[in-house]
């Protein structure tokens, strides 16, 4: 498990977004058949449509909440608006994907303006099927506070990718 968590420590996901946790399930995030791997770069144009997010290692009696956040807003050197919320899906049954859950906050495409941003996917195990309260705003979001307010506990899986602003030449 240390090899799974190490990139999250090096990438400062653990620390900036969540506290140390032990991964319990596998989460696979893919955009157009391209799997998200910790620290790899994706072009924002690749992430225009919602990704496919699969939960592996749960069971049909388990339910999960998925959170996607950007902790580097407006820029990584001075992220004073940390974090910006991009997506929340709740009540995802174990062994399925996010399309089977309830979208609490609609998907917002990554639009980094300054520098290289981290886009973090966190999966939380729910204690039961429940109603997740949406945050008041996407800006100044806190994953830690959101998890506490909704009685979610620590994450059970996480993955992140890096993205930076695309020039017109890069999109071609």
């Amino acid at each position: 498990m240390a090899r799974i968590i190490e990139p999250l420590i090096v990438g400062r996901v653990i620390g900036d977004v969540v506290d140390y946790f032990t991964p319990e399930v596998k989460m696979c995030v893919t955009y157009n058949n391209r799997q998200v791997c910790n620290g790899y770069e994706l072009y924002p144009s690749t992430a225009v449509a919602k990704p496919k997010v699969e939960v592996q290692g749960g069971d049909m009696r388990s339910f999960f909440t998925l959170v996607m956040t950007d902790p580097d807003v407006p820029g990584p050197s001075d992220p004073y608006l940390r974090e910006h919320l991009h997506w929340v899906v709740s009540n995802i049954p174990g062994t399925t994907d996010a399309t089977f859950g309830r979208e609490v906050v609609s998907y917002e495409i990554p639009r980094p303006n300054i520098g290289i941003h981290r886009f973090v996917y966190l999966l939380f195990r729910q204690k039961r099927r429940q109603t997740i309260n949406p945050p008041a705003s996407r800006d100044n979001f806190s994953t830690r506070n959101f998890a506490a307010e909704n009685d979610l506990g620590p994450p059970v899986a996480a993955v992140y990718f890096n993205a930076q602003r695309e020039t017109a030449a890069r999109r071609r």
Side-chain angles (χ1 to χ4, degrees):
M1 285 295 177
R3 289 187 334 176
I4 294 170
I5 207 90
E6 188 176 312
L8 299 171
I9 294 169
V10 172
R12 296 183 341 270
V13 170
I14 292 176
D16 288 352
V17 181
V18 292
D19 297 322
Y20 188 87
F21 68 95
T22 302
E24 296 176 17
V25 297
K26 187 171 192 292
M27 173 176 59
C28 185
V29 179
T30 54
Y31 284 99
N32 302 320
N33 297 321
R34 184 163 180 206
Q35 186 172 345
V36 172
C37 296
N38 284 321
Y40 284 27
E41 184 173 359
L42 287 180
Y43 294 130
S45 59
T46 304
V48 172
K50 291 179 200 175
K52 182 174 184 177
V53 180
E54 297 173 282
V55 178
Q56 302 163 349
D59 59 52
M60 289 308 288
R61 294 176 306 228
S62 301
F63 292 96
F64 297 90
T65 294
L66 173 73
V67 174
M68 178 188 176
T69 183
D70 175 358
D72 299 317
V73 176
S77 62
D78 185 20
Y80 64 87
L81 293 176
R82 175 176 294 161
E83 302 163 38
H84 182 80
L85 180 64
H86 281 267
W87 197 26
V88 176
V89 181
S90 68
N91 294 323
I92 303 167
T95 71
T96 65
D97 63 66
T99 59
F100 289 92
R102 179 180 166 267
E103 193 171 62
V104 177
V105 176
S106 62
Y107 180 77
E108 182 180 282
I109 64 172
R111 288 193 178 127
N113 286 327
I114 305 164
I116 299 170
H117 289 237
R118 296 165 292 166
F119 292 90
V120 183
Y121 289 91
L122 297 146
L123 191 67
F124 296 89
R125 185 185 309 270
Q126 298 172 199
K127 291 181 172 66
R128 65 202 166 295
R129 187 178 204 101
Q130 67 188 72
T131 301
I132 299 294
N133 299 316
S137 170
R138 289 181 186 258
D139 291 322
N140 296 308
F141 178 75
S142 168
T143 300
R144 286 180 182 95
N145 292 346
F146 177 79
E149 290 165 6
N150 288 286
D151 196 25
L152 296 174
V156 294
V159 67
Y160 78 100
F161 69 90
N162 294 322
Q164 58 186 314
R165 186 175 178 187
E166 275 182 276
T167 62
R170 279 177 87 183
R171 275 183 282 223
R172 283 189 236 155

